[in-house]
Amino acid sequence: MSAVRRGAGDDPVARAVATSSPGTGTLAQLIAAYHDGPVAIGRLRTRIRQDRNLSAGYLGLGFALLGALVFVRGLASLGWSWSDGPARWLSLVAWAVLAVAFAGVVLTGRRRGGVLPARVAALLEVAGLFAVIADLLAFLAGGSGAPFYPTAVIGFGACLLACLPLQSLRRSVIGAVVLAASGCATVAIGWIADPASLSAGITGLLLGLTPVVAGITMIHAADRYLGRRIEQAVTESLITAPAVGLGVTAASELRRLDGDAERLLAEVAALQPGQHIDAATAARAEQLSDELRQALVTDHEQTWLQIALTESEHLRRTVRVIDPALLAARLEPEQRGNLLALTWLCVAHAAAPALDLTFLPAGEHTAPTVVFSLVGTHRRGIDPAVWPLFARLGRHTVDLAADRALVMVELP
């Protein structure tokens, strides 16, 4: 049991974070963990998905500046459309609320390390909706003498744009839906009250909504790219790892079992001399031993390739490995690198199980062989970079059909 026991001082991620200042960037921590192996990278990968320090830095500042520019553009529209209506003061109230909301989300995000609490995001949506309604009422109460050109929807969009990298995409989409719904309602009401205002209303809606939608799209793409790069770093770190070993999930399970065993032993040690172990404690010990035995058996059944697929969300969904003889464990590091690179290239743009890797043992007249069975090729092309890698992996034969590719590679 001591072989799997690790203290906080032995944890690579803990060392990387503990030796870093509070302002250390997430990418720097990733690099530090990368040198400590796949377990450290996998645990840091989970932390990155929950911690948006990267967004609190340059990305958060960039979106805040973009939001400020959109905000200023909205104020320019307010000045251009200003009139002497009796209720135009409501427009000033609306923009004052938006200014407070804008400053509040930016400062909260900076103070919270790049994370905007859900309640603050909800308050922003309520404030934006209030501002849009107040600005609309300012025109409706002014009669038909003044041009109908509400502008609060632009300021609302500026606030949402500034907080995009500070919250989850789901929350950002909710804000965008609220903005779109209130903006469309404003355009419709304006068209009913003054048909000539349709063009101005649509322009205001687009000025507020378009940057938000573009920002959501960009952040979604950036998150997918960063996640993919982290997964590739995890799998590439296994090229030089032991042929058979622990993945992050298995290591976490062993740490949990180790902790349960220590607590159970402490309870037994605390028993009075002559006091018997009760049935519940004995049952817990039996269950714990079974779980530990299963975890150790699972460890010895996983090759580095199976672990790599397990630790990558994308590979886990798109690749299946059939290797009952554990032939992947016999590959040299260079062969591992070529095989892993081929795997990534074959499923780079796949969204469903697309590649089967089947390892065949050597026969009387045949060498050990790995078979790449790639399906769905009619929906996406085959990356030309795979063919030189197949040649480097070993002598191979290719069988291409309308919607699949079958490549058999003899391993030297």
Side-chain angles (χ1 to χ4, degrees):
M1 193 93 55
S2 61
V4 297
R5 185 178 299 120
R6 299 172 61 123
D10 296 326
D11 185 63
V13 176
R15 291 202 312 271
V17 176
T19 57
S20 304
S21 63
T24 300
T26 302
L27 292 180
Q29 296 177 25
L30 174 62
I31 294 173
Y34 176 80
H35 292 293
D36 286 318
V39 173
I41 298 175
R43 295 179 61 188
L44 185 58
R45 175 182 57 189
T46 302
R47 181 175 180 271
I48 287 174
R49 289 175 177 171
Q50 300 172 348
D51 183 2
R52 303 188 71 86
N53 285 333
L54 182 64
S55 298
Y58 296 113
L59 187 59
L61 178 60
F63 272 85
L65 290 176
L66 289 175
L69 292 176
V70 175
F71 200 93
V72 171
R73 175 60 177 83
L75 288 175
S77 295
L78 175 66
W80 176 81
S81 63
W82 187 258
S83 61
D84 295 330
R88 285 311 305 272
W89 59 271
L90 285 173
S91 294
L92 297 178
V93 171
W95 276 95
V97 170
L98 290 172
V100 172
F102 185 93
V105 296
V106 172
L107 293 177
T108 301
R110 298 295 293 180
R111 294 183 61 181
R112 293 277 186 147
V115 178
L116 191 67
R119 62 180 181 275
V120 177
L123 286 175
L124 171 62
E125 294 163 8
V126 172
L129 189 59
F130 169 82
V132 171
I133 294 174
D135 193 34
L136 180 61
L137 292 176
F139 286 94
L140 294 178
S144 58
F148 194 93
Y149 190 11
T151 57
V153 66
I154 304 176
F156 186 16
C159 294
L160 291 177
L161 182 62
C163 68
L164 285 184
L166 308 177
Q167 60 185 356
S168 66
L169 283 177
R170 182 184 62 84
R171 192 78 218 188
S172 297
V173 171
I174 292 175
V177 170
V178 173
L179 172 63
S182 59
C184 290
T186 299
V187 171
I189 295 173
W191 179 70
I192 295 173
D194 180 12
S197 69
L198 182 60
S199 176
I202 294 178
T203 299
L205 174 60
L206 293 178
L207 285 173
L209 184 60
T210 302
V212 175
V213 174
I216 290 175
T217 304
M218 188 184 75
I219 290 180
H220 176 62
D223 282 352
R224 289 188 61 185
Y225 175 78
L226 181 59
R228 188 66 56 82
R229 294 301 299 171
I230 293 173
E231 289 185 1
Q232 287 181 347
V234 172
T235 56
E236 289 172 2
S237 68
L238 292 165
I239 291 176
T240 57
V244 177
L246 284 173
V248 175
T249 304
S252 300
E253 180 66 10
L254 281 177
R255 281 193 295 270
R256 182 188 68 80
L257 294 174
D258 192 25
D260 292 345
E262 288 184 347
R263 286 187 289 271
L264 180 63
L265 291 175
E267 293 178 9
V268 173
L271 296 177
Q272 298 296 327
Q275 183 180 355
H276 296 288
I277 299 176
D278 58 87
T281 303
R284 284 173 53 200
E286 182 179 3
Q287 180 182 1
L288 185 61
S289 64
D290 291 339
E291 292 179 354
L292 180 58
R293 189 182 304 109
Q294 180 62 36
L296 293 175
V297 170
T298 302
D299 168 29
H300 288 292
E301 291 177 346
Q302 286 190 323
T303 65
W304 67 273
L305 181 60
Q306 293 167 327
I307 294 172
L309 266 60
T310 301
E311 307 308 340
S312 168
E313 181 179 351
H314 182 68
L315 295 184
R316 186 168 61 246
R317 290 186 293 107
T318 56
V319 182
R320 291 176 293 190
V321 174
I322 303 173
D323 187 13
L326 304 183
L327 295 180
R330 306 177 188 178
L331 298 180
E332 298 296 329
E334 183 178 356
Q335 293 175 303
R336 293 188 190 183
N338 292 332
L339 177 61
L340 201 54
L342 280 168
T343 302
W344 275 109
L345 286 173
C346 288
V347 299
H349 304 291
L355 175 65
D356 285 344
L357 290 176
T358 305
F359 288 82
L360 304 176
E364 184 177 353
H365 302 290
T366 60
T369 304
V370 56
V371 180
F372 290 74
S373 179
L374 185 62
V375 298
T377 54
H378 64 285
R379 296 189 301 267
R380 60 188 183 280
I382 300 177
D383 195 321
V386 302
W387 307 120
L389 285 175
F390 276 125
R392 292 171 58 183
L393 187 61
R395 189 173 62 178
H396 62 282
T397 58
V398 181
D399 180 13
L400 296 178
D403 62 345
R404 67 163 179 82
L406 187 68
V407 184
M408 300 183 65
V409 184
E410 295 184 1
L411 301 176

